């Protein structure tokens, strides 16, 4: 049994028949094209870890008034999106297990209706998670390059409008995706959205790193601390690599899968790539586990609040 229903629908193109799939598997290299048999327990374990992590982030931000700012509201929304990915995944898996073991008996029409609801929730959370990664990048860019004007640019009202717009757009787009998931036009829009987010984050973070490097270079030329300069540049490069590397590794394979569905649905090597679909889903769930480590837990104020939440020091 596989998970993440709306993504499962995209496991392979609709025009790839079983015969084509079998021939492609044999022609492309036999065993290598068998894919990976990922146990349901791994999906459940990662989902639970992500749920706990992101729930702690949301609780800490709500608890500490010092964290009631647009920056942390965006991080909170990212945590909610990742949390919904986990909840939806766990709910769908439990629902399917109950049906498979006969514990839950429903008419096919009701099953389809329930599946559509879960599908929409998962797709909405995935799209909103991607969107808030972009929003956080823009917010950090404004913080660095327009520091003196930040509070006039990113007002609370604009932050609320941004968050509401992301959630609304995510819900509408996920509904369209569920209704027309076989359409290449819809897939191209989804691919274009990912590429836009990737380019946006690349441009903004590299520009921010370049500014930080220039600032360190200016300091080193005045105070002559070459070791500190090299250390600061290395740390900035590592941070940039982690941010963009995690984003690309976790999301890239799934969207490359979609590109292959559109461009070469019956090619033997593309069909072979399709067989690793469950691995791509695991990477998406892993992103929900890693996001709090990158965007939330690095804040000293938030870590202090997390300790208070965990120890129930309310």
């Amino acid at each position: 049994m596989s998970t993440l229903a709306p993504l499962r629908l995209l496991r392979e193109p609709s025009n790839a028949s079983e015969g084509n799939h079998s021939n492609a598997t044999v022609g492309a290299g036999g065993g290598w094209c068998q894919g990976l048999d990922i146990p349901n327990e791994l999906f459940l374990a990662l989902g639970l870890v992500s749920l706990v992590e992101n729930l702690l982030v949301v609780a800490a931000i709500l608890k500490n008034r010092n964290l009631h700012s647009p920056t942390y509201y965006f991080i909170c929304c990212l945590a909610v999106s990742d949390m919904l990915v986990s909840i939806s995944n766990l709910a769908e898996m439990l629902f399917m297990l109950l049906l498979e073991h006969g514990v839950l008996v429903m008419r096919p029409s009701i099953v389809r209706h329930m599946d559509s609801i879960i599908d929409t929730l998962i797709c909405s959370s995935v799209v909103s998670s991607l969107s808030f990664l972009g929003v956080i990048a823009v917010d950090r860019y404004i913080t660095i390059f327009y520091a003196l004007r930040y509070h006039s640019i990113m007002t609370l009202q604009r932050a609320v409008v941004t968050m509401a717009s992301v959630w609304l757009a995510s819900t509408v787009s996920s509904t369209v995706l569920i209704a027309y998931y076989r359409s290449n036009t819809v897939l191209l829009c989804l691919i274009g959205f990912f590429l836009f987010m990737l380019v946006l984050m690349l441009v903004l973070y590299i520009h921010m790193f370049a500014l930080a490097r220039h600032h360190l270079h200016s300091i080193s030329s005045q105070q002559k601390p070459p070791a500190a300069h090299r250390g600061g540049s290395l740390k900035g490069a590592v941070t940039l690599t982690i941010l963009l590397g995690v984003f690309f590794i976790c999301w890239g394979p799934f969207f490359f899968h979609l590109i292959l569905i559109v461009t070469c649905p019956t090619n033997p090597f593309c069909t072979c790539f399709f067989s690793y679909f469950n691995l791509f889903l695991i990477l998406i769930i892993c992103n929900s586990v890693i996001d709090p480590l990158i965007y939330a837990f690095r804040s000293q104020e938030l870590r202090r609040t997390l300790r208070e939440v965990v120890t129930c020091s309310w």
Side-chain angles (χ1 to χ4, degrees):
M1 182 186 69
S2 58
T3 59
L4 293 177
L7 305 181
R8 188 180 67 246
L9 299 174
L10 303 172
R11 175 181 299 278
E12 61 182 18
S14 56
N15 57 346
S17 64
E18 290 297 328
N20 289 338
H21 178 75
S22 298
N23 294 335
T25 300
V26 174
W32 187 80
C33 294
Q34 295 302 316
L36 292 176
D37 184 17
I38 299 178
N40 294 329
E41 290 77 10
L42 182 57
F43 282 98
L44 286 171
L46 289 174
L48 287 173
V49 172
S50 172
L51 177 60
V52 172
E53 276 187 348
N54 288 288
L55 188 60
L56 286 174
V57 172
V58 173
I61 292 175
L62 293 178
K63 178 182 184 297
N64 191 339
R65 291 186 177 274
N66 294 331
L67 302 178
H68 292 184
S69 65
T71 297
Y72 284 101
Y73 286 152
F74 295 145
I75 293 176
C76 183
C77 284
L78 175 63
V80 171
S81 298
D82 289 338
M83 193 164 57
L84 288 177
V85 171
S86 304
I87 292 175
S88 305
N89 174 45
L90 294 173
E92 190 224 9
M93 180 166 288
L94 179 62
F95 181 64
M96 293 179 70
L97 284 173
L98 291 176
L99 287 176
E100 285 184 358
H101 290 83
V103 178
L104 190 63
V105 179
M106 291 183 175
R107 289 181 297 179
S109 59
I110 298 178
V111 172
R112 287 194 297 270
H113 181 67
M114 291 292 296
D115 192 49
S116 295
I117 293 175
I118 297 175
D119 288 355
T120 303
L121 181 59
I122 296 176
C123 281
S124 178
S125 57
V126 167
V127 173
S128 63
S129 180
L130 273 173
S131 300
F132 281 115
L133 288 174
V135 170
I136 290 172
V138 173
D139 180 72
R140 287 183 170 182
Y141 185 86
I142 297 173
T143 302
I144 292 177
F145 285 91
Y146 303 94
L148 298 178
R149 296 172 50 204
Y150 175 81
H151 294 290
S152 61
I153 295 175
M154 189 57 68
T155 62
L156 181 59
Q157 182 179 7
R158 287 176 180 169
V160 171
V161 170
T162 300
M163 291 184 288
S165 299
V166 168
W167 286 114
L168 178 62
S170 300
T171 303
V172 172
S173 61
S174 63
T175 303
V176 173
L177 175 62
I178 295 304
Y180 302 101
Y181 68 92
R182 297 292 190 187
S183 169
N184 281 352
T185 302
V186 172
L187 295 184
L188 286 172
C189 290
L190 193 58
I191 293 167
F193 172 67
F194 168 76
L195 292 177
F196 171 76
M197 285 298 168
L198 178 60
V199 171
L200 177 68
M201 294 178 68
L202 270 171
V203 171
L204 295 183
Y205 281 124
I206 289 177
H207 196 190
M208 283 185 274
F209 171 67
L211 176 68
R213 194 165 183 269
H214 175 73
H215 180 66
L216 287 171
H217 179 73
S218 300
I219 295 176
S220 66
S221 63
Q222 296 173 10
Q223 302 177 1
K224 308 295 182 184
H229 173 227
R230 288 195 299 269
S233 296
L234 180 60
K235 183 178 179 181
V238 170
T239 300
L240 178 65
T241 302
I242 292 174
L243 284 171
L244 299 178
V246 167
F247 178 81
F248 186 79
I249 291 173
C250 290
W251 291 100
F254 171 71
F255 282 93
F256 185 61
H257 174 94
L258 298 186
I259 292 173
L260 295 184
I261 286 180
V262 175
T263 57
C264 58
T266 58
N267 182 279
F269 292 98
C270 295
T271 306
C272 195
F273 190 82
F274 298 154
S275 64
Y276 287 85
F277 187 77
N278 279 345
L279 175 62
F280 311 151
L281 300 188
I282 281 289
L283 290 175
I284 291 178
I285 298 175
C286 284
N287 184 78
S288 299
V289 176
I290 297 172
D291 277 345
L293 303 177
I294 297 177
Y295 295 96
F297 295 160
R298 299 179 68 189
S299 166
Q300 184 176 357
E301 180 77 9
L302 195 143
R303 289 201 305 270
R304 182 181 62 81
T305 309
L306 279 174
R307 285 194 293 269
E308 293 177 1
V309 171
V310 172
T311 57
C312 299
S313 301
W314 292 81

